[in-house]
Amino acid sequence: MKIEFKILYTLLILYFFSSTLTAQQTSWYKTFNISKHNYQYGNYVIQTLDGGYAVIARDNGGEKIYLLKVDRYGKQEWLKTIDSLRRSSCILQKSDSSFIIAGSDFQNAKIINTDKEGNIIWLRSYSLNNEACSFYKIKLLNNGELIACGDIAYPSKAYIVKTDSSGNILWQKTVSDSGLINALDIAVSGHHYYITGSSLNQGKLKTILIKFSEYGNLQWFKKIGSDKYGDGEYGLAITYEQANKLAVAGTLTDYTFPTGYIAKYDTSGNLLDRKFHNSIYRLSSMTKDSCGYALCGENRFGNNIRFIKTNLEGEEIYNRVLDISNKIFLFSININSTSDNGYVISGNAGPEDSSEVLVIKTDSTGYVQPVHIVTISSEIPMKFNLFQNYPNPFNPSTKINYTIPNTQYTILKVYDALGKEVAQLVNQKQKAGSYEVDFDGKDLPSGIYFYKLSTGDFSDTKRMILLK
């Protein structure tokens, strides 16, 4: 018996070390409580050069902006408050690992450069004639210069600024219409910049397309949309394709319900094709990779997130609902691709009266392993208990049971043998009762893992073995 155990243990260690040499797609979701205010949002997320993720987040109570850094498994590494911003919806990372953040303080548009730990290196403010300005998107050019787009509140104008690598203005331009106009995203192609957004004039909402030269010369400005009563559309995201084409994603309403779309234009702003994706009620974001496009937005049928993957023609390949079982309301704001051909999504999650910052890491098909929390008894237990998982060893899933004798904010996490967090299974307030949670280790290598239950009054840790 002892010899068989030693053989099993040796094989386990060999599996563990050999598996860690192979890159695997990971999928997870995490929520983060970043402030004392009830409503919190993850506005924008990117994968960082170290394999982790950086999130621009905000709260609605104090109108504060935060920079949240997590590792590749979603474990929080640090959180910084960006005091000089009140709104922000974009972040990028430079080759030196520093961050560029664009936003506003309600009066001036701002660009901030921080080091890789979120400490401010420089800050620049931008405005015209003391008018209230905002930036929505910013792009890093190959030579280190920056191009940002946004708007001026009153009188309403689209606002585009190009700067050097230190944020000093090279040129700034505005585009006006007879109504309200917003520049929401920008695409770069060689010596030209393409912008999409919206124009609202006499109740008619239309998509805008704008083209500038690299020197700030306006090439053309177009509005696309129906003049019929009740119709409306806007462009939310834009990318440049090969063969002189633009892809614009947005939302269209034809007097009934909004629906997401991807439209193709030539570089003169002429509409070539449009594909509708009716299961998205309102589009939140689009990202492009070598295989096609990934869209996320509000699900038409329920308070959760709809994910759609298309080919390069905008035709649907995958269509999923990202429904995290222990959260009532889920909303996405941004999506970006990751180095393992998956995607990362930011937004917010929570019950009706509050929300926390939500970050979801999916595989290449938009799949994320849900965590199923089952209340197996409402009878009030006498004490806290964390039980041994079963089965154990397991491949790839197992169940973890625990009891809590009174209402507690409960956290259940899984760690690898080095103490690195690999999964967050529970992070919410729970009533007294007995609970069962499923843990799926399909994205993890064989090895020894630890799961820890923490409440305000109790903490316990147990060991389990994943054997593939």
Side-chain angles (χ1 to χ4, degrees):
M1 186 69 180
K2 289 183 178 180
I3 294 175
E4 291 176 351
F5 179 80
K6 288 181 179 179
I7 292 173
L8 176 62
Y9 185 79
T10 302
L11 289 173
L12 175 64
I13 297 299
L14 288 173
Y15 267 112
F16 177 81
F17 284 105
S18 63
S19 299
T20 56
L21 297 176
T22 303
Q24 301 183 29
Q25 283 191 340
T26 59
S27 68
W28 46 261
Y29 73 88
K30 297 289 178 73
T31 57
F32 302 91
N33 186 4
I34 59 171
S35 79
K36 64 181 180 180
H37 297 286
N38 284 349
Y39 294 96
Q40 306 166 22
Y41 307 85
N43 284 356
Y44 203 86
V45 59
I46 58 169
Q47 187 172 33
T48 51
L49 297 177
D50 63 3
Y53 302 92
V55 185
I56 284 292
R58 69 178 173 92
D59 67 51
N60 249 14
E63 293 290 354
K64 289 185 177 181
I65 297 297
Y66 303 85
L67 177 54
L68 170 67
K69 177 66 172 63
V70 303
D71 68 12
R72 66 186 299 264
Y73 297 109
K75 181 181 179 181
Q76 181 173 325
E77 294 182 330
W78 48 261
L79 176 71
K80 295 290 177 71
T81 303
I82 310 297
D83 291 319
S84 51
L85 291 178
R86 292 295 177 266
R87 290 178 181 170
S88 179
S89 56
C90 193
I91 183 175
L92 56 85
Q93 190 174 35
K94 300 170 67 176
S95 59
D96 62 0
S97 295
S98 67
F99 296 106
I100 296 290
I101 303 169
S104 76
D105 62 2
F106 294 145
Q107 180 59 39
N108 298 316
K110 290 182 179 288
I111 299 176
I112 296 174
N113 180 209
T114 78
D115 64 19
K116 64 180 182 179
E117 296 178 344
N119 302 303
I120 293 178
I121 300 172
W122 54 256
L123 182 154
R124 305 283 185 265
S125 297
Y126 308 86
S127 67
L128 281 174
N129 303 320
N130 293 320
E131 298 165 346
C133 303
S134 298
F135 285 146
Y136 298 125
K137 287 293 175 64
I138 189 166
K139 296 293 174 69
L140 179 65
L141 306 180
N142 290 335
N143 61 1
E145 295 173 346
L146 301 165
I147 181 83
C149 67
D151 62 31
I152 295 175
Y154 185 82
S156 180
K157 304 181 186 73
Y159 185 42
I160 300 91
V161 177
K162 186 176 181 180
T163 79
D164 64 17
S165 59
S166 297
N168 301 304
I169 294 176
L170 299 176
W171 52 259
Q172 54 183 338
K173 301 291 181 178
T174 62
V175 177
S176 58
D177 194 23
S178 52
L180 301 175
I181 186 170
N182 304 98
L184 300 178
D185 196 16
I186 188 165
V188 178
S189 169
H191 304 295
H192 296 97
Y193 311 123
Y194 299 91
I195 296 153
T196 193
S198 66
S199 169
L200 179 62
N201 185 19
Q202 296 181 347
K204 295 180 175 61
L205 181 65
K206 296 187 178 184
T207 298
I208 64 166
L209 286 175
I210 306 170
K211 181 179 180 180
F212 276 97
S213 74
E214 64 177 327
Y215 302 109
N217 299 314
L218 178 64
Q219 306 293 291
W220 46 257
F221 166 44
K222 295 193 174 184
K223 294 192 293 183
I224 301 97
S226 168
D227 287 323
K228 289 176 58 179
Y229 178 78
D231 288 359
E233 66 170 86
Y234 58 88
L236 188 63
I238 185 169
T239 65
Y240 177 81
E241 294 186 344
Q242 295 178 350
N244 295 320
K245 290 183 180 179
L246 303 170
V248 175
T251 297
L252 181 142
T253 301
D254 57 356
Y255 195 67
T256 53
F257 295 105
T259 187
Y261 71 83
I262 297 179
K264 298 295 183 71
Y265 295 86
D266 63 23
T267 51
S268 296
N270 300 307
L271 180 64
L272 303 175
D273 184 37
R274 197 193 305 247
K275 296 288 194 306
F276 293 100
H277 299 282
N278 296 324
S279 56
I280 288 185
Y281 186 63
R282 287 186 178 88
L283 185 80
S284 298
S285 183
M286 173 186 76
T287 190
K288 179 179 181 291
D289 56 32
S290 59
C291 300
Y293 303 93
L295 310 174
C296 67
E298 183 179 345
N299 183 32
R300 185 177 295 278
F301 308 105
N303 298 308
N304 41 38
I305 297 169
R306 176 70 66 169
F307 169 93
I308 294 177
K309 178 69 181 291
T310 79
N311 60 20
L312 290 171
E313 300 305 315
E315 299 165 336
E316 185 177 300
I317 301 173
Y318 300 108
N319 189 326
R320 294 187 184 278
V321 173
L322 305 184
D323 189 5
I324 301 169
S325 58
N326 64 330
K327 299 296 179 182
I328 299 175
F329 294 98
L330 303 172
F331 296 99
S332 62
I333 299 176
N334 167 248
I335 185 171
N336 269 309
S337 56
T338 58
S339 59
D340 63 354
N341 298 316
Y343 300 96
V344 62
I345 298 169
S346 64
N348 59 293
E352 295 184 19
D353 58 348
S354 64
S355 68
E356 295 180 329
V357 174
L358 172 68
V359 182
I360 301 174
K361 170 66 179 67
T362 80
D363 66 12
S364 59
T365 70
Y367 177 78
V368 58
Q369 177 66 37
V371 176
H372 298 287
I373 304 174
V374 179
T375 304
I376 59 178
S377 175
S378 59
E379 182 178 342
I380 298 178
M382 296 295 294
K383 61 180 181 177
F384 290 98
N385 265 314
L386 176 63
F387 298 98
Q388 187 63 50
N389 67 298
Y390 66 94
N392 187 44
F394 64 96
N395 178 28
S397 62
T398 188
K399 296 180 182 296
I400 299 172
N401 286 63
Y402 60 93
T403 62
I404 53 177
N406 48 59
T407 300
Q408 294 277 341
Y409 197 91
T410 306
I411 299 173
L412 179 62
K413 294 183 177 181
V414 179
Y415 301 86
D416 64 16
L418 299 176
K420 189 179 186 67
E421 181 185 325
V422 298
Q424 177 179 269
L425 304 181
V426 181
N427 184 3
Q428 65 184 89
K429 183 179 289 188
Q430 292 182 318
K431 296 180 180 179
S434 300
Y435 294 89
E436 182 179 275
V437 180
D438 291 331
F439 171 61
D440 194 323
K442 71 179 182 65
D443 295 323
L444 297 172
S446 296
I448 298 172
Y449 292 87
F450 299 88
Y451 56 99
K452 181 179 180 181
L453 179 69
S454 303
T455 72
D457 302 322
F458 175 81
S459 177
D460 192 15
T461 302
K462 292 191 181 295
R463 186 178 71 168
M464 58 185 175
I465 298 175
L466 172 60
L467 183 60
K468 294 185 176 182

